[in-house]
Amino acid sequence: MTDKLTWIDEELQNLHNAGLYNHIRTLGSPQGAWLVVDGKKALNFCSNNYLGLANHPRLVAAAKKAMDQYGVGPGAVRTIAGTMDMHVKLDQRLAEFKGVDAAITFQSGFTANLAVIPALVGKEDVIFSDALNHASIIDGCRLSRAKIIAYEHASATDLELQLKAHRANFRRALVVTDGVFSMDGDLAPLDEIYAVTQNYEAILMVDDAHGEGVVGKGGRGIVDHFKLHGKVDVEVGTMSKAFGVMGGVVAGNAKVVEWLRQRGRPFLFSSAMTIPDVAACLEAVDMLEESTELVDKLWDNANYFKKEMATLGFDTGKSVTPITPVMLGEAPLAQEFSRKLYEAGVFGMALGFPTVPRGKARIRVMISAAHAREDLDLGLEAFLRVGRQLGVIA
Ligand SMILES: *Cc1c(COP(=O)(O)O)cnc(C)c1O
């Protein structure tokens, strides 16, 4: 009897052989500067918990209070019976925070992308997409059935060449880019992209998942960073990173938001965000509006860590954000480095293909406002020791 699933064993073995198998570690503690990882205490260099909000007492208290009042689940999709007053409030508060006309929330950033791209473009249309865009953007583009043209990463020059060559052959056009690229920590040149896009009647969309709560004034994101208020048609965001919770958002032009209430498929066919999620997100928005303290601490930490890593001789790529890639090259070396860090009490994940291109494997260190200076020093020491041991630095 042939097993019709034997191919999976073979494929998994291939992943092991290539050093690309995902070893998933399990946390036995809340998010924070320190974690219990597979039963062992370790310094956390992996989470997207930029501001330390994932286990913040204010967010926890807000979630508990809301659950006492509203229970746990929304009970339906937003369009039928799942829109509670707190969902409407979160939509409004996020729009205010971002300084845009309107916003609409989804279950995650991933579903926000799956909602908005197919709602804006279809079979007769074209999408110009940065070559390194996030998987959820790519999937949203594919779902739309529009023609997808990738332009060179972060190149407004190549974008213009592609627009010039192809735009006229299609009905509508969408230009879409990550704001902060999550694997390298570099920024899209959104000002230049805006300038180019203007001349070709294209909708401009940015996915600011790693920018919200991080870049711009008080963490208001990449549109604020480039002072492009009112010029970007669609901003996608997530509440799973700096906001420390879960949920996605599309913010921007009120017409787009209204259209998504009618045609955003994950809005129509998947249930609303849960009550504790919504309440915790509302609290996170309040905190970000009250003070820039956490965002400032995040940047102090990030600048310190990156400067010290460069002094030790590590290649931290072209990051201009708290995302700190430690470039190692081949995937097996990155995995070995990660194992040795873990033995030294530091949790730093190795990333390889297909998360990053082949030959560009790395440890990606995620700096957080939750880290104390001593935590960062301890991490630097571990990098120094392991880096020397594996011949990565002298
Ligand atoms: C993380 C990420 C997402 C997905 O966000 P979730 O809310 O976790 O689903 C989408 N886009 C980009 C660019 C991201 O980095």
Side-chain angles (χ1 to χ4, degrees):
M1 195 181 76
T2 61
D3 183 349
K4 60 194 170 193
L5 298 178
T6 306
W7 64 271
I8 295 179
D9 299 327
E10 291 160 11
E11 290 290 346
L12 289 172
Q13 192 53 52
N14 290 342
L15 292 180
H16 280 291
N17 295 346
L20 296 174
Y21 183 83
N22 270 331
H23 296 277
I24 302 174
R25 297 197 184 272
T26 306
L27 309 189
S29 66
Q31 280 294 340
W34 290 83
L35 301 171
V36 176
V37 184
D38 288 340
K40 181 178 151 145
K41 193 175 171 212
L43 178 63
N44 180 11
F45 270 172
C46 294
S47 302
N48 297 322
N49 183 24
Y50 286 111
L51 302 176
L53 293 178
N55 186 36
H56 195 283
R58 276 185 63 176
L59 272 69
V60 174
K64 282 182 181 162
K65 185 162 165 250
M67 281 192 288
D68 286 341
Q69 230 178 327
Y70 286 82
V72 183
V77 300
R78 290 279 307 260
T79 47
I80 296 180
T83 297
M84 295 170 170
D85 45 16
M86 61 193 314
H87 289 99
V88 175
K89 189 169 171 205
L90 181 59
D91 293 346
Q92 286 165 352
R93 293 289 288 127
L94 286 167
E96 285 162 18
F97 177 70
K98 302 285 284 181
V100 295
D101 292 344
I104 178 171
T105 52
F106 293 84
Q107 306 82 4
S108 71
F110 203 111
T111 59
N113 276 325
L114 298 193
V116 68
I117 300 171
L120 293 175
V121 284
K123 272 205 296 281
E124 298 144 273
D125 305 323
V126 61
I127 299 170
F128 299 89
S129 175
D130 185 288
L132 294 187
N133 273 345
H134 187 261
S136 59
I137 300 177
I138 294 171
D139 287 7
C141 291
R142 287 177 181 160
L143 270 178
S144 76
R145 296 189 289 170
K147 167 82 177 165
I148 302 163
I149 294 173
Y151 62 88
E152 244 172 68
H153 172 56
S155 170
T157 312
D158 190 50
L159 170 62
E160 176 144 43
L161 288 177
Q162 301 301 333
L163 280 161
K164 204 173 269 171
H166 303 285
R167 169 65 185 99
N169 303 329
F170 297 88
R171 183 184 61 171
R172 291 197 288 266
L174 173 71
V175 171
V176 58
T177 181
D178 267 38
V180 175
F181 289 84
S182 58
M183 294 301 136
D184 292 295
D186 56 329
L187 294 184
L190 200 60
D191 48 350
E192 295 168 23
I193 289 173
Y194 167 73
V196 165
T197 301
Q198 275 312 89
N199 303 326
Y200 293 89
E201 207 191 318
I203 302 166
L204 177 56
M205 165 174 162
V206 64
D207 178 345
D208 204 20
H210 283 272
E212 261 151 7
V214 178
V215 302
K217 184 164 66 65
R220 276 162 181 76
I222 192 161
V223 171
D224 184 84
H225 173 86
F226 282 107
K227 302 278 172 281
L228 290 170
H229 295 283
K231 294 178 171 165
V232 176
D233 304 295
V234 183
E235 284 178 70
V236 165
T238 177
M239 275 84 83
S240 70
K241 288 170 179 143
F243 283 69
V245 195
M246 188 68 207
V249 60
V250 176
N253 190 294
K255 259 188 270 204
V256 171
V257 168
E258 172 63 359
W259 183 233
L260 288 174
R261 286 195 198 99
Q262 309 305 318
R263 285 292 179 273
R265 287 172 69 83
F267 189 83
L268 299 168
F269 298 106
S270 182
S271 288
M273 285 173 71
T274 72
I275 280 111
D277 284 336
V278 176
C281 287
L282 278 166
E283 193 67 22
V285 177
D286 284 350
M287 286 182 68
L288 280 165
E289 285 190 344
E290 280 166 26
S291 157
T292 63
E293 189 188 328
L294 290 174
V295 179
D296 296 343
K297 172 103 186 286
L298 167 67
W299 280 96
D300 282 349
N301 279 350
N303 292 334
Y304 174 73
F305 185 80
K306 282 159 66 168
K307 180 169 73 60
E308 295 298 313
M309 283 294 279
T311 307
L312 294 181
F314 285 103
D315 172 7
T316 56
K318 51 193 170 169
S319 170
V320 293
T321 64
I323 296 169
T324 311
V326 183
M327 307 305 285
L328 295 168
E330 295 311 315
L333 173 63
Q335 287 210 336
E336 174 73 3
F337 205 111
S338 174
R339 269 194 299 276
K340 291 207 180 297
L341 281 177
Y342 179 68
E343 284 162 19
V346 174
F347 184 34
M349 278 294 273
L351 300 174
F353 183 82
T355 311
V356 296
R358 288 185 200 278
K360 294 204 170 170
R362 65 199 68 178
I363 306 274
R364 186 184 59 162
V365 177
M366 300 300 281
I367 297 298
S368 168
H371 290 122
R373 185 57 59 92
E374 307 83 76
D375 298 331
L376 299 178
D377 286 337
L378 207 142
L380 288 162
E381 252 174 60
F383 265 97
L384 173 64
R385 257 179 293 139
V386 175
R388 282 197 177 144
Q389 202 184 341
L390 294 179
V392 174
I393 53 169

